[in-house]
Amino acid sequence: MPISINDLYEKIDRAIIFLSENDWMDKWKIQKGVFYFLWLDSINNKYAFRDIANKMQIEPNRQGPYSESIGSEVGILIREGYLESSDINSKILPVKSTQKGKDSFLQHLKSNERFCLSQIRDILEKLESDEVIFFVYFNPYIPDDVKSYFLSRSEMKQSLISQKESYIKKLLSKEIIDESTADKMRDNIVKIQQ
């Protein structure tokens, strides 16, 4: 069953507020976190991720999946006082949920959304932005057609691939992935290079 655009924006707002609830989160992590959440949510709720990507205009970008719509939503949440930014003019636009944002959005989180977002936030808080991009790009559980589409315009692709072992070691050491997932990532990267 398709999701309405209003329900989708409400879901995204809840995700943004939750992801930035504990600490400052830069716009790149917010983008990748929302992307990952929407993909997982599409599986859990049985709607087509491609439809969501189209509705939210999530497109390949030099630094990973990016949506002007999600970026604009962050701006709206700042203007309306649901988020604050430590530096509104920064290229990375660090944001954090305000009490108003938490009170307005977090009470509407469904238990499965809360669980999923808490897992994603844990990943985002442990990783640097480039490590998050590597994790999303080469995640063996995201379908190949989705990954290849988002990798198509990446300026970072070759750099990430050439440093794959370093990134995989970081993900392992931070307990984001296990050895089995690391092997699947390596296999994925080999397929991408062919």
Side-chain angles (χ1 to χ4, degrees):
M1 182 171 126
I3 184 170
S4 76
I5 194 75
N6 288 339
D7 289 344
L8 185 55
Y9 270 104
E10 287 176 15
K11 189 176 289 281
I12 288 167
D13 289 347
R14 290 191 302 268
I16 292 168
I17 297 297
F18 188 89
L19 292 174
S20 63
E21 176 186 22
N22 295 337
D23 206 354
W24 297 102
M25 185 81 54
D26 73 53
K27 74 174 182 180
W28 298 110
K29 285 186 178 184
I30 293 284
Q31 286 276 343
K32 302 323 169 257
V34 171
F35 169 85
Y36 197 49
F37 169 68
L38 291 174
W39 173 71
L40 290 171
D41 195 63
S42 72
I43 292 169
N44 291 334
N45 293 300
K46 299 180 182 4
Y47 50 79
F49 178 73
R50 287 281 193 175
D51 291 344
I52 300 307
N54 288 337
K55 282 181 182 178
M56 294 315 302
Q57 301 167 343
I58 302 173
E59 304 202 353
N61 185 277
R62 297 181 303 269
Q63 300 204 359
Y66 189 81
S67 165
E68 289 292 334
S69 298
I70 294 170
S72 294
E73 197 65 13
V74 168
I76 291 168
L77 291 170
I78 291 170
R79 280 191 302 282
E80 293 181 356
Y82 299 112
L83 288 176
E84 61 181 315
S85 176
S86 63
D87 183 356
I88 199 74
N89 297 316
S90 170
K91 287 173 78 174
I92 63 168
L93 190 64
V95 295
K96 187 175 181 181
S97 303
T98 63
Q99 192 59 49
K100 177 183 176 182
K102 293 173 195 177
D103 292 344
S104 299
F105 290 98
L106 298 185
Q107 65 183 333
H108 301 291
L109 271 176
K110 298 174 184 162
S111 60
N112 63 333
E113 289 176 335
R114 184 176 297 277
F115 174 78
C116 188
L117 285 166
S118 67
Q119 300 296 310
I120 294 168
R121 184 174 62 199
D122 186 49
I123 291 168
L124 297 177
E125 288 176 348
K126 289 180 180 179
L127 299 178
E128 298 299 323
S129 288
D130 61 325
E131 296 165 347
V132 171
I133 293 169
F134 182 88
F135 175 74
V136 169
Y137 270 164
F138 302 110
N139 187 312
Y141 304 106
I142 294 177
D144 289 343
D145 65 320
V146 173
K147 278 190 294 224
S148 63
Y149 173 70
F150 287 106
L151 276 166
S152 68
R153 288 193 29 214
S154 174
E155 289 179 354
M156 299 179 71
K157 176 181 169 184
Q158 290 310 316
S159 173
L160 294 171
I161 288 173
S162 68
Q163 298 175 54
K164 70 180 178 224
E165 286 308 315
S166 173
Y167 282 111
I168 288 171
K169 285 179 187 175
K170 288 176 187 176
L171 295 175
L172 286 165
S173 72
K174 294 176 182 181
E175 299 181 345
I176 303 298
I177 62 171
D178 58 17
E179 283 295 337
S180 172
T181 304
D183 289 340
K184 289 176 183 173
M185 281 183 142
R186 289 180 185 102
D187 292 345
N188 240 340
I189 292 169
V190 168
K191 278 197 303 190
I192 289 167
Q193 289 178 301
Q194 295 174 343

